[in-house]
Amino acid sequence: MPQSGGNRLVNLWSRRANRAILATCLVGLAVVSLCTTVWFLAVHNGTLRAERDLTDRLTTTQRAVESEIERFRYLPSVVGEDGRIRDHLLGIGTSNQANSYLQAVRDMSGADEVYLLDTGGLTLAASNWDEPGSFVGNNYSFRPYFSDAMRDGAGRYYAVGVTTGKPGYFLAARVSGPDGPLGVVVAKVDMAPIEVTWSKAGELTGIADQIGIVFLSGRQDWKYRPLDALTPAALATLDAERRYDGIGVPAKQPIVGRPLLSGASLVLDDPSGALLASTVQIEPDGWTLFSALPLAPVYEEARLVTGIAGLAGLLASAIVLVLRQRRQFTRMKLEQNAVLERRVGERTEALHHEIEERKRTEAQLRDMQENLIHAAKLAALGRMSAAIVHEVSQPLSALENTLAASGLHADNKALPEVKRNLVSARDLVRRMQRTVKHLRTFASRKDAGALQPVDLAGVLDAACEIVSPRAREIGVLLERDSVEAPAVLGNGPRLEQAFINLILNAVDAAGTGEQRQVGIGAGIDGDNAVVAISDTGPGMPKEVRDRLFEPFFTTKTSGGGLGLGLSITRTILEEFGGSVCFASAPGGGTVTRVMLPLHLASRQAVAS
């Protein structure tokens, strides 16, 4: 029996779905492959950059270390040419002269210590001859720098001092006479400043001696640890030379665990994460200078690049799939036309019934929409009726204070003050008239009218003038910073009412504090004018800040407010494209931040 049109559509949908699943799997595999490739490439490139940085860092550090050593390289030879040193070695000079000379050389050169040994390694004179831990009388013939100097004329050696326990770099030079060697002059150099510099800079850098023991490092947990496992010959050398006496180097865990090749890079496992390390040799001492960089930034960058590549791959795949689905959908629509044509006759009467039902539904929807519009208009009228009471009450209070002050001035026969207060009262009456007129016509207006340039400084002046009597009444100091006067888009009287609400709230909040101050400042931020109103009040809890703009919500005592000020203020500011927000001040209190768009002329002035 032939299949019906519905069964054919079901089979068609099933085949389409299977192909879509297969295409999705292939796209997923392609995106995973792309991400894997990008990951390895990003890690490889990041590692190459890190290796270049390590090479530059090692070169710079090597030059710095060599420069520090070269400062003292010729010091022992120069000291050995002095007559006082030679006379003391020949037994014709006094030890006081030699000691004083060595002490002066130490102080002038910046060396840690300078001392004189005879041919048997016994210290005859030293720069610290009169200090605790003096070298005089100690024998250092076991030190390699002494034997090297006696044999070759010069010696150098880094070790921890057996007398002072303080590490240093020992530079030695032989003093020769007509009949052969007379003794050895030794200068001990403190290289700790290099280590301190590395530590402060956070550099993972160190220097290891000839047998691979780190004696200088920017990381203290690397100091006096071997780079790799020590051989029996190296352990014997440590014991014979007493190079790091009392530190226990053989018991410490190696840093790397395998030999480091000069110039080769190696990834180290570290508690702080993987490190990329590289080395370079410092000659003629045979030291190994090494430095490391964390690979975490490389992996982080690789993750970022991989994520971007994955997103790009998914986006491209999604676009391809969408285009493919559109083509399939179009093809399927064409295939459905044949089926739909056979059902046109059956659906004709049903469609006619649906059309009638739709007409009745549309008529009902229009009636409901008209009722909703009417209800919204009534709600707006009710809200503005409450606003009349709230907005007029503030100028009335200011008018009452002004007239009361006029009465006091009249009793004191201060006629200029009475005249000034009456002019101010007349201005307040005019302001109330403008406010009532504006609110009266609000319900009948379809929009807020055309925006016009408004002098922000004038608006703030008017608002401060109305609020000032209230501030003086409760002992609040109203401070106005020097304010730029940009022109903003808005309506002058409505902006005045908005800032009156905000400044009055700040005054009332500051009235409950100890300092009782309100500061008003203004400036420009991009294409917006910004007004900041700060008070020294008790601040604003989060639960209050979340409900600030709810109508009829107020934290004031009974009779202190209707709870509509901030709601109306936000409505006015948003009408002109502005905004208002509140934040806690660092020293206590609240900062109110108002933003209003600049007028075109002000924007051009700022841009120029």
Side-chain angles (χ1 to χ4, degrees):
M1 185 175 64
Q3 289 182 326
S4 63
N7 290 335
R8 285 195 297 271
L9 288 176
V10 170
N11 293 334
L12 181 61
W13 272 108
S14 178
R15 291 194 299 271
R16 303 294 189 200
N18 292 335
R19 284 197 291 270
I21 293 174
L22 178 60
T24 302
C25 293
L26 293 176
V27 168
L29 289 175
V31 171
V32 171
S33 300
L34 173 64
C35 292
T36 303
T37 303
V38 170
W39 165 265
F40 283 109
L41 289 176
V43 170
H44 177 70
N45 292 333
T47 304
L48 290 179
R49 288 197 302 272
E51 289 178 349
R52 289 194 295 268
D53 292 342
L54 278 177
T55 301
D56 296 340
R57 178 178 297 184
L58 286 172
T59 302
T60 303
T61 305
Q62 181 182 8
R63 298 293 181 268
V65 173
E66 292 175 346
S67 298
E68 183 68 17
I69 295 174
E70 287 299 325
R71 290 174 53 203
F72 304 95
R73 181 73 73 185
Y74 299 101
L75 182 61
S77 299
V78 173
V79 172
E81 296 298 324
D82 187 86
R84 286 163 287 189
I85 298 299
R86 289 181 170 272
D87 290 346
H88 189 50
L89 290 173
L90 293 172
I92 59 176
T94 64
S95 60
N96 289 335
Q97 290 178 335
N99 286 328
S100 299
Y101 172 67
L102 293 178
Q103 195 172 47
V105 170
R106 178 195 65 181
D107 296 339
M108 295 178 64
S109 66
D112 192 33
E113 299 293 349
V114 184
Y115 52 102
L116 176 65
L117 307 178
D118 63 11
T119 55
L122 182 66
T123 305
L124 301 178
S127 58
N128 61 352
W129 63 277
D130 59 346
E131 301 173 4
S134 171
F135 294 166
V136 177
N138 293 323
N139 193 298
Y140 298 109
S141 60
F142 62 90
R143 287 298 200 186
Y145 62 79
F146 173 76
S147 57
D148 291 344
M150 290 293 294
R151 184 183 65 251
D152 303 326
R156 45 187 155 261
Y157 184 71
Y158 190 94
V160 175
V162 294
T163 303
T164 63
K166 182 179 178 181
Y169 186 45
F170 298 86
L171 299 171
R174 184 179 63 202
V175 180
S176 299
D179 299 328
L182 299 177
V184 174
V185 176
V186 183
K188 182 181 179 183
V189 180
D190 184 11
M191 299 186 69
I194 298 177
E195 189 177 54
V196 172
T197 301
W198 292 343
S199 180
K200 289 182 178 179
E203 292 191 8
L204 305 176
T205 303
I207 301 178
D209 59 15
Q210 300 92 330
I211 60 177
I213 297 174
V214 178
F215 60 85
L216 287 179
S217 175
R219 276 183 53 167
Q220 291 304 309
D221 59 332
W222 285 355
K223 195 170 182 180
Y224 299 125
R225 287 174 58 189
L227 288 176
D228 53 0
L230 295 175
T231 63
L235 293 174
T237 301
L238 285 179
D239 291 337
E241 298 176 358
R242 299 172 63 187
R243 185 176 300 186
Y244 305 108
D245 206 15
I247 297 179
V249 173
K252 294 189 177 183
Q253 187 71 21
I255 297 175
V256 180
R258 48 181 160 168
L260 275 175
L261 300 178
S262 178
S265 298
L266 178 67
V267 178
L268 304 180
D269 292 328
D270 191 78
S272 62
L275 301 177
L276 182 67
S278 186
T279 65
V280 68
Q281 295 297 314
I282 298 180
E283 298 298 344
D285 299 279
W287 293 347
T288 300
L289 173 64
F290 65 95
S291 186
L293 286 174
L295 286 175
V298 174
Y299 294 142
E300 184 66 25
E301 181 182 1
R303 282 192 290 270
L304 177 62
V305 174
T306 302
I308 294 175
L311 291 176
L314 289 176
L315 179 61
S317 301
I319 293 174
V320 172
L321 288 176
V322 168
L323 294 176
R324 183 172 178 273
Q325 290 291 339
R326 288 185 61 183
R327 288 196 300 270
Q328 292 179 351
F329 183 74
T330 302
R331 188 183 303 112
M332 188 174 59
K333 289 282 289 182
L334 295 175
E335 294 174 354
Q336 286 179 342
N337 285 337
V339 178
L340 293 176
E341 287 177 358
R342 291 194 296 268
R343 302 180 61 183
V344 168
E346 300 174 359
R347 292 287 299 168
T348 300
E349 186 175 352
L351 288 174
H352 178 74
H353 178 71
E354 290 178 3
I355 291 172
E356 293 296 331
E357 288 294 332
R358 179 171 297 182
K359 289 180 179 180
R360 287 193 295 269
T361 302
E362 290 177 352
Q364 293 175 358
L365 288 175
R366 283 194 295 271
D367 293 339
M368 291 178 62
Q369 188 176 22
E370 292 176 0
N371 292 333
L372 288 175
I373 293 173
H374 182 66
K377 184 176 182 180
L378 292 178
L381 288 174
R383 182 178 180 184
M384 296 312 296
S385 297
I388 293 173
V389 178
H390 181 78
E391 299 298 338
V392 173
S393 63
Q394 296 176 7
L396 283 176
S397 298
L399 179 62
E400 180 183 1
N401 293 333
T402 303
L403 293 178
S406 299
L408 293 176
H409 291 311
D411 293 338
N412 296 328
K413 296 183 180 181
L415 295 181
E417 296 295 331
V418 172
K419 182 177 180 182
R420 184 179 63 81
N421 286 342
L422 289 177
V423 171
S424 177
R426 186 177 182 185
D427 292 338
L428 289 171
V429 171
R430 289 176 178 174
R431 192 179 307 280
M432 285 188 294
Q433 289 175 343
R434 290 198 303 268
T435 301
V436 172
K437 179 180 179 181
H438 180 75
L439 294 172
R440 184 181 60 207
T441 58
F442 181 80
S444 60
R445 291 163 53 186
K446 294 183 179 179
D447 52 44
L451 301 181
Q452 57 185 358
V454 178
D455 180 16
L456 185 58
V459 170
L460 293 175
D461 289 338
C464 290
E465 181 182 355
I466 294 177
V467 178
S468 293
R470 172 62 177 170
R472 289 193 296 269
E473 178 185 1
I474 63 177
V476 175
L477 178 60
L478 194 60
E479 295 183 342
R480 174 82 181 282
D481 296 342
S482 57
V483 179
E484 298 182 45
V488 298
L489 287 175
N491 180 277
R494 301 194 69 178
L495 287 177
E496 288 179 14
Q497 294 301 323
F499 283 109
I500 287 171
N501 288 339
L502 296 175
I503 298 174
L504 186 59
N505 285 344
V507 168
D508 291 339
T512 62
E514 296 181 358
Q515 296 183 0
R516 299 193 175 189
Q517 293 181 353
V518 172
I520 303 171
I524 297 176
D525 184 3
D527 292 338
N528 297 298
V530 181
V531 178
I533 304 171
S534 59
D535 64 70
T536 58
M540 191 180 300
K542 183 178 183 302
E543 58 270 14
V544 173
R545 198 158 52 238
D546 294 340
R547 300 185 59 193
L548 276 179
F549 298 108
E550 294 182 9
F552 302 104
F553 173 75
T554 179
T555 59
K556 299 179 181 178
T557 58
S558 177
L562 297 176
L564 288 172
L566 292 179
S567 177
I568 293 174
T569 297
R570 184 171 71 171
T571 301
I572 292 174
L573 295 176
E574 289 179 350
E575 181 181 358
F576 304 139
S579 63
V580 60
C581 62
F582 299 87
S584 297
T590 303
V591 177
T592 305
R593 183 181 173 89
V594 177
M595 298 189 69
L596 287 166
L598 292 173
H599 185 250
L600 180 60
S602 296
R603 293 186 186 180
Q604 294 174 348
V606 172
S608 61

